[in-house]
């Protein structure tokens, strides 16, 4: 059978909607998907490990990556830079592996411009109240950062119409089930399986 490129999955939506939790659970259930480790200038949180959760970089190092064209997309989010390194992602995709990016909305829209055949999924919180509660519960940000993140979330939610799918994160197991179903359906799309029909039409 003909080898095909992996699927690029972009999981996006407001911070605190639970993208990270859904992504981790999806990867636990689907270990063949590769997680794209982002670069950031944000300080590591306790328990975050270099190269696993992020590549932690200084502002100058990050700007160097931008200048050298090493990032597929990048965005400033609440005072820090975040970006997707191209190299590991391209390598995995061309080896036929699916890759997942967990990124905010400005970056996701840049990816959509560059790779329109990616799969774009918006993770939405059940409500803005639920979002506020989650960010507070996480307890990793100061109150003014939380306020900034909530204001950003209101803007991000308006961009949902740019995506292929929306998953409301009401219950993690149900939301992960929906994500997995989307991936299964997407791989069955006729446009994603051109080689199946090559013989008949040539
Ligand atoms: P956090 O600081 O909570 O880890 O991430 C803040 C926001 O940045 C989250 O919405 C997260 O999904 C997003 N993010 C993480 N990595 C990237 C990236 O490589 N590019 C972009 N555009 N956003 C990212």
């Amino acid at each position: 059978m003909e080898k095909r490129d992996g699927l690029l999955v972009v999981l996006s939506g407001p911070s605190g909607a639970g993208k990270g939790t859904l992504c981790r659970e999806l990867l636990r259930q689907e270990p063949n998907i590769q997680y794209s480790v982002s670069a950031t200038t944000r300080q590591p949180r306790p328990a975050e490990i270099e190269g696993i959760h992020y590549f932690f970089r200084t502002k100058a190092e990050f700007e160097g990556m931008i200048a050298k064209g090493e990032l597929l997309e990048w965005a400033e989010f609440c005072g820090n830079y975040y970006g997707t390194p191209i190299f590991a992602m391209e390598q995995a995709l061309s080896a036929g592996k699916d890759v997942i990016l967990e990124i905010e909305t400005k970056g996701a829209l840049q990816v959509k411009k560059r790779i329109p055949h990616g799969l774009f999924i918006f993770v939405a919180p059940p409500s803005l109240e639920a979002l506020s509660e989650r960010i507070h519960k996480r307890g990793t940000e100061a109150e003014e950062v939380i306020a900034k993140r909530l204001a950003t979330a209101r803007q991000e939610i308006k961009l949902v119409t740019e995506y292929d799918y929306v998953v409301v994160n009401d219950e993690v197991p149900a939301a992960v089930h929906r994500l997995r179903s989307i991936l299964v359906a997407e791989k069955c799309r006729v446009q994603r399986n051109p080689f199946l029909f090559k013989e008949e039409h040539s």
Side-chain angles (χ1 to χ4, degrees):
M1 191 190 270
E2 204 164 306
K3 186 180 86 53
R4 59 175 168 179
D5 280 359
L7 183 62
L8 176 69
V9 183
V10 178
L11 204 61
S12 186
S15 161
K19 307 190 287 289
T21 308
L22 295 189
C23 192
R24 270 193 300 281
E25 188 51 27
L26 177 69
L27 292 170
R28 198 181 63 77
Q29 296 181 24
E30 304 275 355
N32 285 328
I33 303 178
Q34 181 163 314
Y35 177 71
S36 161
V37 179
S38 298
T40 184
T41 58
R42 156 166 93 54
Q43 288 300 308
R45 293 181 184 138
E48 280 184 334
I49 300 165
E50 164 70 20
I52 303 262
H53 298 98
Y54 279 107
F55 297 110
F56 295 100
R57 296 291 178 262
T58 62
K59 199 163 176 239
E61 285 167 344
F62 196 99
E63 284 167 352
M65 292 173 89
I66 298 173
K68 283 186 247 159
E70 290 174 4
L71 299 174
L72 173 69
E73 60 71 38
W74 65 272
E76 195 177 344
F77 180 87
C78 293
N80 286 299
Y81 286 143
Y82 294 82
T84 303
I86 293 178
F87 183 71
M89 181 205 73
E90 272 188 347
Q91 238 188 359
L93 289 176
S94 55
K97 242 186 149 191
D98 299 336
V99 175
I100 192 160
L101 269 51
E102 190 239 291
I103 62 178
E104 55 68 68
T105 46
K106 280 179 286 188
L109 298 186
Q110 289 175 51
V111 179
K112 196 177 166 191
K113 279 208 184 106
R114 287 183 75 167
I115 310 183
H117 57 273
L119 171 59
F120 295 84
I121 306 174
F122 190 91
V123 177
S127 65
L128 276 172
E129 291 72 40
L131 186 70
S132 166
E133 202 174 299
R134 270 192 209 148
I135 300 184
H136 277 100
K137 257 197 201 149
R138 191 160 69 186
T140 48
E141 274 90 19
E143 200 56 42
E144 64 185 78
V145 178
I146 293 180
K148 210 168 176 189
R149 283 187 178 231
L150 284 173
T152 306
R154 281 198 191 89
Q155 297 307 315
E156 290 192 288
I157 287 169
K158 293 185 189 152
L159 297 171
V160 64
T161 50
E162 301 288 329
Y163 290 74
D164 300 313
Y165 293 91
V166 59
V167 170
V168 176
N169 186 15
D170 40 10
E171 298 277 339
V172 173
V176 172
H177 177 70
R178 275 176 247 142
L179 274 179
R180 293 181 72 189
S181 308
I182 292 168
L183 296 188
V184 170
E186 202 60 26
K187 281 170 183 254
C188 297
R189 267 190 195 277
V190 172
Q191 301 93 303
R192 293 200 191 274
N193 293 278
F195 59 88
L196 286 178
F197 316 104
K198 249 189 189 160
E199 300 280 289
E200 285 95 308
H201 295 285
S202 55

